[in-house]
Amino acid sequence: MIYVLALFWIILIISALIQYVLIVATCTWYFSHCNCGRSYFSLSKGFWWALRYNLGSIALGSFVVAIVWLARTVFEYVNDKMKSLDS
């Protein structure tokens, strides 16, 4: 059970990091007033900001969603077993 939770958590952290990096790259490109802010390193800037400023929030949010995923998976499994007993 713990390994499944850890797997869900790792998947969600990676997904959240990718989403955050894309958000930073898009916002820095869109809101820059000149071409000086539109560099080729927007993705690396997003990774740097994610690791430096927001890793704790990303990890906490991913952990909460992983717990919900795990509970939902367990309840769906129990529901399927209960339906198979009724048949």
Side-chain angles (χ1 to χ4, degrees), residues 30-77:
Y30 185 77
F31 289 111
S32 63
H33 298 293
C34 62
N35 287 337
C36 58
R38 297 179 180 175
S39 64
Y40 295 109
F41 300 108
S42 295
L43 294 177
S44 61
K45 184 188 294 187
F47 275 115
W48 173 247
W49 284 4
L51 294 177
R52 184 169 182 196
Y53 299 116
N54 297 313
L55 186 61
S57 299
I58 290 171
L60 179 64
S62 299
F63 184 70
V64 170
V65 174
I67 290 174
V68 170
W69 261 18
L70 183 64
R72 181 177 177 199
T73 304
V74 168
F75 288 139
E76 286 178 358
Y77 176 76

Side-chain angles (χ1 to χ4, degrees), residues 1-14 66 69-70:
M1 187 78 77
I2 296 297
Y3 293 120
V4 175
L5 178 64
L7 177 69
F8 285 165
W9 192 18
I10 290 170
I11 290 170
L12 289 168
I13 284 177
I14 292 170
W69 261 18
L70 183 64

